[in-house]
Amino acid sequence: MMLTPLKPEVLKVDDLSHEARRFRTIVWSFQRNLDLLFKGTGLTAKVDHAALAEAFARWRQKFDQSKHLADVNRNDYVIYAAGLMLRELIVAAPLKASQGEELPTLPGGIDHPLARWPEGYAYTSFCLSVAAAILKELGDDEPTPAEVTDDPGFWNSFRENTHEDPETAVGFFDLVCGREPNWAAPGVLWLRKAFAQHGKLLDDKV
């Protein structure tokens, strides 16, 4: 199952890097991702739009506080911002997935991670799709799902750790993108490897 079914859809949005900062864009793209991701799975989705708005508002506040640093490393900043969104979605929990039927049997008895944690898988799918589309729009290297995303055990660990400490969602998103997290402080921008290399520049900008 494709982790980023939404990406071709949001690539059609003009100036996505700015439109993604609008709640109306988040609402339709979040719902569209669920439609695509859950199609044929037997899963149904119920979205709490008040909780989604809460997640967006908290994300937008954090984004606005850090966006002046984006030019230090635009690529890594987009990944970081998407990880922040993932954190807020996990905390606000706007999605409730229910299973009306059994998930389709996959070849070789594969245990698909969507069956383990459909909400977390959907949040990750949404954030990765938008981040990849934005970076493609900017002509930059876009992230592709790392091999670890095929391991159901990864999603178990992801779910358990983020429920204990939501801040780890940023680190797990880095893993999804094939990057090395800073587990000591995954949500601190200037401690990310790509930003720490520009310490002097960061000192000048803060």
Side-chain angles (χ1 to χ4, degrees), residues 172-200:
F172 275 95
F173 190 72
D174 284 333
L175 291 178
V176 168
C177 297
R179 305 194 178 197
E180 182 181 350
N182 172 19
W183 290 118
V188 179
L189 177 61
W190 54 87
L191 292 180
R192 293 174 68 83
K193 185 176 181 180
F195 281 76
Q197 294 170 350
H198 299 269
K200 184 179 184 302

Side-chain angles (χ1 to χ4, degrees), residues 72-194:
V72 173
N73 188 313
R74 179 73 60 177
N75 184 284
D76 195 62
Y77 183 78
V78 170
I79 301 300
Y80 168 74
L84 288 181
M85 175 62 83
L86 178 58
R87 177 200 184 280
E88 299 306 337
L89 289 171
I90 290 173
V91 170
L95 171 63
K96 299 297 181 188
S98 57
Q99 192 169 321
E101 306 171 14
E102 289 296 319
L103 288 169
T105 301
L106 299 177
I110 296 173
D111 183 5
H112 196 276
L114 181 60
R116 297 289 187 99
W117 189 26
E119 293 86 357
Y121 193 87
Y123 298 149
T124 305
S125 170
F126 171 71
C127 295
L128 183 60
S129 293
V130 174
I134 287 174
L135 288 170
K136 185 174 180 64
E137 177 187 73
L138 295 174
D140 207 337
D141 294 334
E142 55 187 285
T144 55
E147 288 185 11
V148 70
T149 61
D150 293 327
D151 179 7
F154 167 77
W155 296 93
N156 286 344
S157 177
F158 190 171
R159 178 183 59 207
E160 292 165 5
N161 280 277
T162 53
H163 283 177
E164 291 179 8
D165 180 6
E167 202 72 10
T168 61
V170 180
F172 275 95
F173 190 72
D174 284 333
L175 291 178
V176 168
C177 297
R179 305 194 178 197
E180 182 181 350
N182 172 19
W183 290 118
V188 179
L189 177 61
W190 54 87
L191 292 180
R192 293 174 68 83
K193 185 176 181 180

